């Protein structure tokens, strides 16, 4: 019966009559497994007592109770006393597998009534494979027609006995998983050690769930040619596939097709098309909606071993090229609009439109499409004019953008501002060019720096005017940081690629802390953590290639020591000119932590007691026990140590021969 043409009401009958193995074949295989188990237990390494069988565990679809008629798989995991650790399992298997094959070839002459054995070339190293099948039709037609066209593919795998003898219902020792996490380099490479747990996870489920698994596996086989109304379950799998493709999830290598579909995920285009096609048959025919299940999440950073941090960043945090291309196209659309359309009938001119934010710096995280554009306008001739007139320009840009979208077939959704005099225009942009939406912040600003060129040093006059305004009017520090967007961007963008990857990791950690605490506390800005990361690298490594775990550990160490921090840079401003010199000396004597924006001396993103650094420090201290900071050294494990980084910068340490009498 064709699954695609089966009505929802006939699915149970389809599973029972067409997918479930016959009782005769099941009994024949059970008898063969008994004698196969005996043959393997008698087997040791040739001529020695080096390898003794501790026990044999049955795994695969046959053992889990989800085998399909016509062909299924079974695993025999042979736990040997010569493997004393996960690392031992990687070596010394060739000799053992050779001896096992010799023993099985002898046993295979008489595998059991109605059965024959055929060895096959292994698809992977460290495994012995053979097929147990019903005998030739001509010889066995009088025995049982139900045995015909059945087969079981066996994998015999030698393994380290990580679990030992577990009592029913008991859990493994947590140390087993700690050792596993320290030892593996490829996902699932020691899954054979946990065969009994994998088997029991499925085999203990209700019979009808196992029937649903059979149905999904059969669907999978039809596609590739190789809870409990069945129609609802199958429809759920069909709808989940496109989500998994979008999330970039991959198949777990050692799981049976069909079983992992109900929990993990695949993202094959062909599978997605088939799932959509079959959804018509299952979902519409039954008239029922699929269960609302959340797609799986990426691996937790807390349990990621130190040697896999670079892989974690690449797989889960770094945006793909498609995402970056989407951002580039969206930014170009908005910039062209601002330059050529927005003020074409006005005396106001767009002097330049500068890309800012994490996307422009090269530190954007995956799963976040956002872009900042700072628009420098000719009519904003001072810092004061930026405060007084920017709300009018925000409103004008929005008005012009609403007109522009009609001519360009753009979809623009504006985000309402909570400010009476808005300082930023926030909106979401969609177009025919883009496959996804992009969130924008457009900020009008005074062009304090003027036209820049590579190697440009900022004008001291720009900082002197800013400092004078802050002293006379009480304007908050950092109020005009948008005027220095180019300097902020270049400070990060020019750094080595691996440092920007470390910044991504720190930002991901920060977001985890933020989600845990919101709305309880006001944490320091992310920019403060970015600057701490740059400082940790400058003072502790300075190399383009460095150990990511050490860098991450150093940043957390600085967060923990927040009450001592006094950090600044002199790349754009320094102590040479008054009144900048006096102002900087005042800034670095403020309540700690002090972290000055390298582009804007009035911007202290450390903030003293303005933000809840103590909560972030508490989180950082708890994270020191993470597996991110465990390092294997021979047979033992050591904690990753931070780089030696000073927590206080002084004018003297930056090359200025000035030593204030207080605060440093």
């Amino acid at each position: 019966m064709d699954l695609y043409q089966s009505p929802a009401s006939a699915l149970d009958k389809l599973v029972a009559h067409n997918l479930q193995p016959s009782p005769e074949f099941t009994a024949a295989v059970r008898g063969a497994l008994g004698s196969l188990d005996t043959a393997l237990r008698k087997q040791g390494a040739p001529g020695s007592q080096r390898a003794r069988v501790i026990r044999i565990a049955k795994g695969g679809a046959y053992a889990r109770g989800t085998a399909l008629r016509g062909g299924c798989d079974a695993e025999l995991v042979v736990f040997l006393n010569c493997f004393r650790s996960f690392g031992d399992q990687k070596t010394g298997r060739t000799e053992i597998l050779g001896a096992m094959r010799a023993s099985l070839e002898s046993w295979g002459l008489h595998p059991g009534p109605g059965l024959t054995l055929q060895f096959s070339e292994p698809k992977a190293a460290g495994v012995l494979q053979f097929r147990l099948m019903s005998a030739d039709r001509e010889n066995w037609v009088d025995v049982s027609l139900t045995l015909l066209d059945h087969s079981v593919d066996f994998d015999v795998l030698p393994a380290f006995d990580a679990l030992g003898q577990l009592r029913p219902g008991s859990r493994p020792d947590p140390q087993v998983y700690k050792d596993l996490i320290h030892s593996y380099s490829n996902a699932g490479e020691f899954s054979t050690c946990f065969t009994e747990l994998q088997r029991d996870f499925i085999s203990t489920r209700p019979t009808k769930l196992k029937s649903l698994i059979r149905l999904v596996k059969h669907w999978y086989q039809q596609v590739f040619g190789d809870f409990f109304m069945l129609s609802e379950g199958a429809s759920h799998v069909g709808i989940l596939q496109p989500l998994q493709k979008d999330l970039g999830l991959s198949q777990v290598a050692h799981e049976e097709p069909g079983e992992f579909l109900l929990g993990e995920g695949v993202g094959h285009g062909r599978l997605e098309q088939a799932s959509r096609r079959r959804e018509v048959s299952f979902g519409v025919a039954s008239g029922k909606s699929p269960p609302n299940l959340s797609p799986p999440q990426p691996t937790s950073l807390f349990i990621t071993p130190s040697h896999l941090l670079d892989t974690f960043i690449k797989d889960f945090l770094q945006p793909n090229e498609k995402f970056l291309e989407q951002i580039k196209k969206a930014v170009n659309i908005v910039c062209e609009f601002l330059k050529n359309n927005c003020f074409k009938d006005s005396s106001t001119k767009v002097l330049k439109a500068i890309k800012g934010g994490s996307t422009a710096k090269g530190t954007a995280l995956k799963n976040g499409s956002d872009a900042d554009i700072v628009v420098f306008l000719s009519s904003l001739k001072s810092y004061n004019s930026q405060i007084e007139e920017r709300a009018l320009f925000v409103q004008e840009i929005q008005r012009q953008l609403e007109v522009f979208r009609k001519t360009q077939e753009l979809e623009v959704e504006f985000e309402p501002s909570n400010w009476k005099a808005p300082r930023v225009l926030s909106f979401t942009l969609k177009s025919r060019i883009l496959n996804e939406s992009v969130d924008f912040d457009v900020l009008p600003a005074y062009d304090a720096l003027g036209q820049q060129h590579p190697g440009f040093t900022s004008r001291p006059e720009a900082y002197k005017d800013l400092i004078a305004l802050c002293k006379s009017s009480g304007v908050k520090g950092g109020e005009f940081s948008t005027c220095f967007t180019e300097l902020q961007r270049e400070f990060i963008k020019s750094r080595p690629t691996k440092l920007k990857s470390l910044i991504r990791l720190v930002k991901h950690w920060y977001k985890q802390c933020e989600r845990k605490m919101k709305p309880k506390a006001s944490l320091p800005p992310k920019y403060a953590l970015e600057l701490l990361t740059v400082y940790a690298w400058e003072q502790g490594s300075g190399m383009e290639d460095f150990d990511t775990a050490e860098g991450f550990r150093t940043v957390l160490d600085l967060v923990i020591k927040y009450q001592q921090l006094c950090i600044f840079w002199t790349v754009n401003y320094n102590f040479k000119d008054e009144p900048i010199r006096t102002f900087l000396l005042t800034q670095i004597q403020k309540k700690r932590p002090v972290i000055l924006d390298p582009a804007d001396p009035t911007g202290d993103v450390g903030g003293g007691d303005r933000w809840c650094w103590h909560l972030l420090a508490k989180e950082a201290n708890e994270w020191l026990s993470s597996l991110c900071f465990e390092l294997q050294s021979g047979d033992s494990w050591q904690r990753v140590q931070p780089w030696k980084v000073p927590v206080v910068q002084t004018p003297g340490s930056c090359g200025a021969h000035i030593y204030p009498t207080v605060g440093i």
Side-chain angles (χ1 to χ4, degrees):
M1 184 183 295
D2 183 11
L3 176 59
Y4 182 65
Q5 297 178 349
S6 298
S9 59
L11 292 181
D12 291 299
K13 184 181 293 184
L14 171 69
V15 174
H17 293 176
N18 296 76
L19 305 185
Q20 195 164 319
S22 67
E24 291 84 356
F25 183 74
T26 301
V29 172
R30 187 182 301 116
L33 280 173
S35 60
L36 178 57
D37 186 289
T38 302
L40 288 171
R41 288 181 185 278
K42 293 179 179 178
Q43 143 68 33
S48 74
Q49 297 300 316
R50 174 175 168 267
R52 181 177 59 83
V53 176
I54 300 173
R55 70 178 189 281
I56 297 175
K58 300 177 180 68
Y62 183 84
R64 293 192 284 256
T66 60
L68 284 175
R69 174 174 296 191
C72 67
D73 69 281
E75 294 176 355
L76 287 173
V77 180
V78 184
F79 296 102
L80 301 170
N81 67 338
C82 60
F83 296 150
R84 301 183 183 276
S85 68
F86 291 108
D88 288 348
Q89 184 174 313
K90 291 183 177 182
T91 60
R93 289 180 294 189
T94 303
E95 184 182 29
I96 292 172
L97 286 171
M100 285 183 173
R101 174 157 186 163
S103 179
L104 290 175
E105 284 176 340
S106 175
W107 171 82
L109 296 174
H110 307 285
L115 299 172
T116 184
L117 180 145
Q118 176 183 330
F119 283 97
S120 55
E121 287 299 320
K123 298 176 182 178
V127 59
L128 181 63
Q129 295 180 321
F130 65 90
R131 173 169 291 185
L132 194 64
M133 65 192 113
S134 50
D136 182 73
R137 177 186 297 267
E138 293 182 3
N139 296 332
W140 290 99
V141 69
D142 295 331
V143 178
S144 174
L145 287 174
T146 57
L147 283 177
L148 296 175
D149 302 323
H150 281 302
S151 66
V152 183
D153 290 322
F154 278 92
D155 287 350
V156 180
L157 307 104
F160 161 54
D161 186 21
L163 297 176
Q165 295 291 338
L166 273 180
R167 295 191 304 274
S170 62
R171 293 184 177 181
D173 185 339
Q175 186 62 43
V176 170
Y177 291 113
K178 291 181 181 179
D179 293 342
L180 170 67
I181 291 170
H182 290 317
S183 302
Y184 88 102
S185 55
N186 297 308
E189 95 180 275
F190 296 111
S191 63
T192 52
C193 300
F194 305 95
T195 295
E196 293 147 301
L197 299 181
Q198 292 175 330
R199 177 195 65 201
D200 294 345
F201 183 79
I202 301 294
S203 66
T204 57
R205 304 292 172 167
T207 300
K208 200 165 186 181
L209 174 58
K210 287 183 275 191
S211 293
L212 173 59
I213 291 173
R214 284 191 174 98
L215 183 68
V216 173
K217 287 162 65 174
H218 175 64
W219 167 78
Y220 183 95
Q221 287 184 353
Q222 283 196 332
V223 173
F224 286 97
D226 176 33
F227 147 103
F228 273 90
M229 284 298 292
L230 292 181
S231 55
E232 291 186 30
S235 179
H236 162 63
V237 174
I239 287 177
L240 186 60
Q241 300 312 314
L243 294 176
Q244 292 163 334
K245 180 180 180 183
D246 292 339
L247 290 170
L249 299 174
S250 58
Q251 176 177 343
V252 178
H254 295 281
E255 289 293 334
E256 170 108 2
E259 292 180 16
F260 75 82
L261 286 175
L262 297 179
E264 295 296 332
V266 298
H268 304 289
R270 185 178 172 191
L271 194 60
E272 177 186 342
Q273 294 170 3
S275 66
R276 292 185 191 277
R277 193 169 65 245
R278 279 153 176 76
E279 186 181 329
V280 176
S281 172
F282 292 130
V284 176
S286 66
K288 294 181 177 292
S289 300
N292 183 19
L293 302 181
S294 299
Q297 298 298 314
T299 306
S300 170
L301 174 61
F302 191 87
I303 61 171
T304 300
S306 59
H307 68 284
L308 293 179
L309 285 179
D310 292 319
T311 302
F312 181 91
I313 296 169
K314 180 181 177 183
D315 290 347
F316 295 120
L317 307 185
Q318 188 169 319
N320 58 35
E321 292 299 322
K322 179 182 175 182
F323 167 84
L324 297 176
E325 187 63 27
Q326 292 291 307
I327 290 288
K328 182 178 179 181
K329 289 179 180 178
V331 168
N332 287 340
I333 290 173
V334 176
C335 284
E336 287 300 312
F337 153 73
L338 291 169
K339 292 176 182 177
N340 302 325
N341 295 78
C342 194
F343 298 101
K344 62 181 180 180
D345 298 325
S346 168
S347 60
T348 297
K349 302 300 178 186
V350 176
L351 300 175
K352 54 188 175 182
I354 301 300
K355 304 165 190 174
S358 61
T359 304
K361 294 175 187 173
T363 61
L365 290 172
K366 184 179 289 188
N367 299 326
S369 304
D370 67 285
D372 294 342
I373 297 179
V374 181
V375 187
F376 294 96
L377 302 174
S378 61
S379 296
L380 300 179
K381 299 182 181 299
S382 67
Y383 296 113
N384 269 326
S385 66
Q386 178 172 317
I387 294 178
E388 295 168 357
E389 300 176 42
R390 65 185 166 195
L392 295 175
F393 287 111
V394 166
Q395 294 168 3
E396 178 63 16
I397 292 172
Q398 178 171 343
R399 188 182 71 81
Q400 293 286 350
L401 191 58
E402 288 175 336
V403 175
F404 180 69
R405 70 173 176 175
K406 295 177 183 178
T407 62
Q408 299 294 316
E409 298 185 18
L410 300 174
E411 295 181 34
V412 181
E413 297 176 3
F414 295 100
E415 180 180 319
S417 174
N418 295 324
W419 298 81
K420 291 183 179 179
R423 58 184 69 187
V424 58
L425 174 62
S426 297
F427 61 92
T428 300
L429 175 68
K430 298 180 182 179
S431 82
R432 291 173 298 176
I433 302 174
L434 305 175
N435 295 326
E436 61 181 56
S437 62
V438 179
D439 296 327
F440 276 92
D441 284 345
V442 175
L443 307 99
Y446 158 54
D447 186 21
L449 296 177
Q451 293 297 324
Q452 293 199 64
H453 52 80
F456 175 86
T457 302
S458 59
R459 295 184 295 116
E461 290 76 14
Y463 291 125
K464 291 178 182 179
D465 294 345
L466 177 60
I467 290 169
L469 178 64
C470 288
K471 286 183 176 180
S472 62
S473 64
V475 172
K476 290 182 180 180
E479 172 73 21
F480 299 100
S481 63
T482 52
C483 299
F484 306 98
T485 294
E486 292 161 284
L487 301 181
Q488 291 177 329
R489 180 190 66 194
E490 294 307 314
F491 184 78
I492 303 293
K493 184 179 178 181
S494 60
R495 305 292 174 163
T497 301
K498 194 164 186 180
L499 175 57
K500 287 183 275 192
S501 292
L502 176 59
I503 290 174
R504 284 190 176 98
L505 185 67
V506 172
K507 286 165 65 175
H508 175 71
W509 171 79
Y510 175 93
K511 288 178 69 175
Q512 287 192 323
C513 298
E514 192 176 38
R515 283 194 295 267
K516 180 178 178 180
M517 296 177 191
K518 271 189 173 182
K520 303 175 187 174
S522 176
L523 294 180
K526 276 188 296 186
Y527 188 39
L529 275 295
E530 289 187 42
L531 295 179
L532 272 187
T533 306
V534 173
Y535 178 75
W537 173 79
E538 284 181 338
Q539 299 291 323
S541 172
M543 305 294 290
E544 290 195 9
D545 189 19
F546 58 87
D547 185 274
T548 300
E550 291 179 358
F552 186 26
R553 173 71 172 81
T554 306
V555 175
L556 297 193
D557 194 56
L558 291 173
V559 171
I560 293 169
K561 298 174 180 176
Y562 73 96
Q563 291 175 307
Q564 306 170 50
L565 295 180
C566 181
I567 297 169
F568 59 92
W569 289 266
T570 57
V571 292
N572 292 304
Y573 51 80
N574 52 50
F575 294 89
K576 292 179 181 178
D577 300 316
E578 287 285 358
I580 300 175
R581 171 179 173 272
T582 301
F583 181 78
L584 288 177
L585 291 176
T586 302
Q587 286 285 77
I588 62 179
Q589 293 178 52
K590 290 165 62 176
K591 184 176 178 63
R592 310 286 171 79
V594 172
I595 305 173
L596 298 187
D597 184 341
D600 177 6
T602 70
D604 175 15
V605 294
D609 54 9
R610 179 179 177 185
W611 293 295
C612 298
W613 278 94
H614 65 286
L615 296 179
L616 203 60
K618 181 181 177 182
E619 285 294 312
N621 195 60
E622 292 178 0
W623 269 73
L624 296 187
S625 62
S626 163
L627 290 177
C628 296
F629 307 122
E630 286 197 10
L631 184 67
Q632 187 171 14
S633 177
D635 295 331
S636 61
W637 294 92
Q638 299 177 353
R639 303 301 297 174
V640 171
Q641 296 303 308
W643 297 322
K644 293 183 179 179
V645 172
V647 294
V648 174
Q649 287 278 81
T650 67
S653 67
C654 293
H657 301 293
I658 302 171
Y659 301 94
T661 56
V662 293
I664 298 295

